[in-house]
Amino acid sequence: MCGIVGLYLKNPALESRLGELFEPMLLAMTGRGPDSAGFAIYGDEVNEGWVKLTLQSGEVEYDWKTLMGELEGCLGCSLDWFRNASAAVLKVNADEAMVRAALKTLAPDVRVMSAGRSIEILKGMGLPAEIAERFSLAGMKGSHIIGHTRMATESAVTMEGSHPFSTGDDLCLVHNGSLSNHFRLRQELERHGIGFETENDTEVAAGYLTWRLQQGDSLQQALDHALEDLDGFFTFAIGTRDGFAVIRDPIACKPAILAETDDYVAMASEYQALASLPGIDKAKVWEPEPATLYVWEKKAV
Amino acid sequence: MKTINLTESTVRDLNQALHDQARDLREREWLVTHPDGKHNLAVGINEALSIDIQGHAGYYCAGMNQKASVTVHGNVGVGVAENMMSGMVRVKGSASQSAGATAHGGLLVIEGDAGARCGISMKGVDIVVGGSIGHMSCFMAQAGRLVVCGDAGDALGDSLYETRIYVKGSVKSLGSDCIEKEMRAEHLEELAELLNRAGFDEDPASFKRYGSARQLYNFKVDNASAY
């Protein structure tokens, strides 16, 4: 099963309430995915030349302070960072590859969940309510957010196997469905230098998009290729720095519903996840067509 | 009229109260408020009740209906009126996939669009859609009539048995063993009657009829040696 939800604000006045509006959407999808949950929130953007990374450790009481001190020494510049439960958000005026390399040396067990100028991916095992509480979702601000509640079918229930998956800078993917050609596709992508951390089928779809985008595809082109190369069932929501996109496979077994008002665009697996949004009774509500890309962004793709 | 507010009552309370009427009829008219996309609203009713649902409903709304008349003043999720036996279900908005799946009887009216697999394996229900329908509609449909005032998606009527399909707009593609058929006087008559019951002001002559070529489901004695 699995539930997916997304909320993109058209009205900047609502940005201070993004987490508060989104939390009930995520919780409404608990029945579709009680194993683990996560979200990718976009906001608090760092300046050009800076990079923001979200890190996770398996240890709840992980000593981030020591790691950040060592990282500052290694990179030779000061860091801006804060802890959020089992995660840490790090902002640094340095090259992303250098930061990643330094982290790999200093703390090989720490996972980089996301990188970019705006994105923060926070996820973990447990009920959606526990994840929302753990990362203080309700108080978060931002321009847009996508989330996922997982009922695992293809691979183990772990923090790493929960969604969203990063697909590049400020890009991420959540998935409802199951891919049938992920094993072969993973082998092909590994030959192209894409690395994988789990046995998860969605990570393969994320790796596929990462690879296509590295090849110079636009998001639209990458998803057009995905429709040809991914075999199986999927409704995807894709977070980008400027907005979000939704696409369903041509068979369209997995549900999706969209709602739009002057204030926001929202998507969910089921309407009940949208019922708590303000003005939803006046919203335009519709189902996305199969094999059709829907994109909302501040700028064109 | 009795009102049930689903912010105060559970779906189970609602359905139990509706089922109780089949044993001891005390209230014919029901109003359901704040459905908020909840699943399984007004399922398994077995009495001639009149039920209005004020808002969007979730999956399997009015499933297994017998005798009742259910109106949804909004959209519905997957499988509205699935396995309906009799009565009437009207959706003022649009329906998700598998509307009227496997239904044996009664009338399902969808004033907006219906998603994929509308009328899949229908077994005698009549379905009238004011808008368009998605792909694989009427897949393996056995009996009953489907009327579409808009367009139909890919693979309409794939592996069709004896359901008759009337479409006013375009058909993206026909499924295996589904063909366009001649519209004779009796078909115009039954279509006019269905449109009238559904409350749509459309000209029956502007529709085309589709049905089974009957090449797939009849056993051909010439093939007996293959078994």
Side-chain angles (χ1 to χ4, degrees):
Chain A
M1 234 180 177
C2 298
I4 59 184
V5 277
L7 180 62
Y8 167 76
L9 299 178
K10 291 156 78 178
N11 178 0
L14 288 172
E15 290 191 1
S16 61
R17 294 178 56 204
L18 182 67
E20 170 201 333
L21 293 170
F22 181 76
E23 186 178 17
M25 296 175 66
L26 190 73
L27 268 50
M29 291 294 92
T30 300
R32 295 188 69 92
D35 295 338
S36 50
F39 54 89
I41 186 163
Y42 293 80
D44 185 25
E45 190 166 300
V46 297
N47 289 329
E48 188 133 21
W50 286 62
V51 63
K52 176 159 84 170
L53 295 113
T54 316
L55 312 176
Q56 276 250 43
S57 164
E59 293 172 47
V60 181
E61 297 300 317
Y62 188 80
D63 183 4
W64 293 108
K65 200 172 173 197
T66 303
L67 174 62
M68 296 301 168
E70 288 170 359
L71 196 58
E72 280 184 334
C74 199
L75 295 169
C77 66
S78 66
L79 303 174
D80 185 7
W81 71 278
F82 61 91
R83 167 196 284 271
N84 185 352
S86 54
V89 176
L90 156 68
K91 301 169 192 171
V92 57
N93 183 7
D95 177 62
E96 182 191 322
M98 276 176 62
V99 184
R100 281 181 182 268
L103 278 168
K104 205 163 194 169
T105 315
L106 294 169
D109 294 339
V110 164
R111 307 266 191 181
V112 178
M113 294 287 105
S114 65
R117 287 176 57 195
S118 177
I119 191 172
E120 290 172 32
I121 291 181
L122 297 159
K123 60 185 187 179
M125 287 184 286
L127 288 168
E130 293 165 16
I131 304 304
E133 172 83 26
R134 186 181 305 163
F135 296 114
S136 309
L137 169 60
M140 286 187 168
K141 302 173 176 61
S143 54
H144 54 292
I145 182 166
I146 63 174
H148 186 268
T149 64
R150 181 167 186 233
M151 186 182 286
T153 54
E154 301 293 305
S155 60
V157 178
T158 58
M159 186 280 287
E160 291 82 358
S162 45
H163 306 217
F165 286 94
S166 170
T167 57
D169 275 4
D170 281 322
L171 285 167
C172 71
L173 175 72
V174 296
H175 174 206
N176 173 203
S178 55
L179 302 178
S180 34
N181 64 338
H182 65 96
F183 189 80
R184 180 69 67 80
L185 195 54
R186 182 195 311 266
Q187 290 176 326
E188 282 175 34
L189 290 168
E190 280 171 343
R191 280 198 288 278
H192 291 298
I194 302 290
F196 295 96
E197 294 189 347
T198 71
E199 295 297 308
N200 188 286
D201 59 331
T202 307
E203 193 187 11
V204 176
Y208 177 84
L209 293 178
T210 304
W211 174 63
R212 288 305 328 171
L213 293 163
Q214 281 175 5
Q215 296 302 302
D217 276 8
S218 67
L219 184 61
Q220 167 96 53
Q221 288 167 331
L223 289 164
D224 284 344
H225 281 120
L227 283 172
E228 285 169 29
D229 290 339
L230 299 181
D231 187 14
F233 299 124
F234 55 86
T235 295
F236 289 142
I238 296 117
T240 73
R241 191 171 145 215
D242 295 313
F244 84 114
V246 174
I247 193 165
R248 302 171 82 188
D249 71 70
I251 305 289
C253 276
K254 293 298 173 187
I257 188 152
L258 294 163
E260 184 165 14
T261 70
D262 289 341
D263 288 334
Y264 57 80
V265 178
M267 84 81 59
S269 297
E270 298 177 16
Y271 175 79
Q272 50 182 328
L274 307 176
S276 58
L277 287 169
I280 190 68
D281 47 339
K282 304 270 189 311
K284 178 190 170 202
V285 176
W286 78 103
E287 279 194 7
E289 295 285 326
T292 305
L293 179 64
Y294 296 79
V295 186
W296 288 269
E297 284 200 316
K298 282 175 270 177
K299 309 186 283 232
V301 185
Chain B
M1 181 189 290
K2 184 151 171 72
T3 300
I4 293 198
N5 178 344
L6 287 175
T7 57
E8 291 158 4
S9 304
T10 65
V11 172
R12 184 162 292 221
D13 294 337
L14 166 70
N15 286 330
Q16 189 62 57
L18 297 174
H19 295 171
D20 288 346
Q21 305 307 310
R23 279 194 297 275
D24 180 13
L25 180 62
R26 288 166 184 268
E27 182 61 63
R28 262 193 205 284
E29 293 190 11
W30 296 74
L31 177 67
V32 180
T33 60
H34 298 100
D36 289 347
K38 291 192 172 70
H39 302 324
N40 311 321
L41 300 180
V43 295
I45 301 169
N46 192 11
E47 183 53 80
L49 309 177
S50 169
I51 300 155
D52 283 274
I53 298 175
Q54 288 292 355
H56 303 311
Y59 293 4
Y60 313 122
C61 181
M64 302 176 281
N65 182 49
Q66 298 194 75
K67 304 179 193 168
S69 172
V70 180
T71 302
V72 181
H73 300 264
N75 302 327
V76 292
V78 173
V80 62
E82 56 90 27
N83 218 55
M84 173 158 67
M85 304 303 284
S86 62
M88 169 153 165
V89 175
R90 178 180 289 274
V91 179
K92 306 289 274 185
S94 291
S96 182
Q97 62 174 316
S98 304
T102 74
H104 289 247
L107 174 66
L108 168 61
V109 180
I110 297 159
E111 296 189 1
D113 298 325
R117 294 169 273 271
C118 177
I120 183 171
S121 196
M122 57 192 268
K123 296 177 172 71
V125 68
D126 291 322
I127 304 176
V128 185
V129 181
S132 298
I133 59 171
H135 60 270
M136 293 298 279
S137 288
C138 271
F139 177 62
M140 294 189 87
Q142 291 143 58
R145 284 90 47 102
L146 171 68
V147 179
V148 183
C149 300
D151 303 328
D154 271 320
L156 176 70
D158 193 282
S159 309
L160 194 64
Y161 291 80
E162 289 301 324
T163 294
R164 289 191 290 283
I165 305 172
Y166 299 98
V167 182
K168 184 181 178 190
S170 66
V171 174
K172 200 165 176 199
S173 65
L174 291 172
S176 295
D177 213 31
C178 183
I179 54 170
E180 188 182 337
K181 291 186 165 182
E182 181 195 1
M183 186 78 106
R184 297 194 297 268
E186 71 260 34
H187 302 119
L188 289 167
E189 193 179 329
E190 83 165 357
L191 177 56
E193 186 264 338
L194 283 165
L195 288 164
N196 187 39
R197 271 168 61 207
F200 290 129
D201 185 22
E202 298 277 358
D203 175 13
S206 61
F207 286 72
K208 286 178 178 164
R209 179 168 75 101
Y210 303 88
S212 176
R214 302 190 177 103
Q215 294 301 301
L216 271 180
Y217 75 85
N218 284 317
F219 181 75
K220 288 198 178 67
V221 74
D222 298 349
N223 295 334
S225 61
Y227 294 87

